[in-house]
Amino acid sequence: MQVPYPVAYRWASAQPVSGSGYEEWIAGLSGIEAEDDFVILRGYYFRDEAATTGALENLARKRVESMLPYLGLDPERVLVELLPQQVNADVRSFPFEAIRYERNSLHDLIWRKSDTLEICFPLKDSLILPAVIVSRINALSVDVWTGKDQVLYIIGTADASGLAEPADMGLERALIVKSILIQSGWQEDQIVISGGQRNDSLSLRNRCVVMYME
């Protein structure tokens, strides 16, 4: 029987099975670095595949890891998200889809206007940034604020749209960026952080850190 997914898995297994459209699926990841893109790899699990949440997430993580050698991706351009999946077929008897990818532009995560810099976080309810963005935060901070002799304000935002994120996630995002800047040479007493929420029509803009100097 032809597996009706590019990549599939069997119940409670992390061993991939290639199927229909596999070559085209892989080809969709070509030129990631040249086009300055990044990839969200989503690993899925069904709630009865293991006894605990930790074991379920570990199974989904192993499913993602099982495919990484075949994808040829720069690890700095990869984010991994682990999610539950609803049973909608006889998944105990037949291979099912348990890994998907979403390709995005890194340019969508960085917004610069005059002396204001905004860095957005791709995943809702998450504090993870692509590793490649961390080095860009360091470089842009030098480019935008060459003096580093004023106070830098960092405002983190949480997504208030739909199923809203906890409000304190905005502050946690600000703390993450503050830590990155301190590691690159900023002094802690130069940085003031705060948090808030946004309800922009473009949900990505609700999960950001806005930086400016006064």
Side-chain angles (χ1 to χ4, degrees):
M1 182 185 71
Q2 176 68 44
V3 176
Y5 308 106
V7 179
Y9 295 82
R10 298 187 184 279
W11 187 260
S13 170
Q15 180 64 41
V17 178
S18 63
S20 177
Y22 174 77
E23 296 297 336
E24 293 82 358
W25 189 79
I26 291 287
L29 293 169
S30 64
I32 294 291
E33 292 186 49
E35 297 182 29
D36 210 17
D37 290 349
F38 72 99
V39 174
I40 299 171
L41 284 177
R42 294 188 171 93
Y44 295 90
Y45 58 85
F46 293 105
R47 296 190 187 278
D48 293 336
E49 287 189 274
T52 67
T53 299
L56 288 167
E57 291 184 349
N58 188 51
L59 174 62
R61 186 178 291 107
K62 286 182 177 179
R63 284 171 171 161
V64 171
E65 291 172 350
S66 72
M67 283 304 300
L68 285 176
Y70 304 101
L71 302 181
L73 297 173
D74 177 355
E76 293 201 341
R77 293 174 180 266
V78 176
L79 289 180
V80 175
E81 188 174 23
L82 310 175
L83 297 168
Q85 196 165 216
Q86 298 299 318
V87 174
N88 56 13
D90 187 3
V91 292
R92 291 179 181 269
S93 303
F94 300 101
F96 52 86
E97 187 179 30
I99 181 172
R100 298 172 189 160
Y101 69 76
E102 179 184 325
R103 181 170 175 167
N104 298 277
S105 172
L106 283 167
H107 299 287
D108 291 337
L109 305 185
I110 303 173
W111 301 72
R112 178 179 172 180
K113 184 177 181 182
S114 185
D115 60 351
T116 299
L117 185 62
E118 187 169 335
I119 306 295
C120 296
F121 288 65
L123 303 178
K124 191 162 184 172
D125 296 313
S126 172
L127 302 173
I128 303 174
L129 285 169
V132 68
I133 286 289
V134 173
S135 60
R136 297 196 184 187
I137 292 174
N138 293 330
L140 285 166
S141 72
V142 173
D143 183 34
V144 178
W145 307 296
T146 54
K148 290 189 181 180
D149 56 356
Q150 296 174 283
V151 175
L152 176 64
Y153 291 87
I154 303 179
I155 304 170
T157 66
D159 191 347
S161 65
L163 295 174
E165 294 179 324
D168 59 2
M169 285 199 76
L171 185 61
E172 291 183 54
R173 288 183 174 125
L175 283 167
I176 287 172
V177 172
K178 176 183 176 181
S179 176
I180 292 169
L181 292 173
I182 288 174
Q183 290 177 24
S184 70
W186 286 80
Q187 299 301 310
E188 188 162 2
D189 58 6
Q190 289 180 278
I191 301 173
V192 176
I193 66 170
S194 60
Q197 287 185 303
R198 262 188 188 169
N199 196 2
D200 193 280
S201 58
L202 182 60
S203 61
L204 178 63
R205 297 298 303 276
N206 297 329
R207 306 188 296 271
C208 300
V209 169
V210 181
M211 295 172 275
Y212 64 93
M213 294 194 87
E214 283 189 354

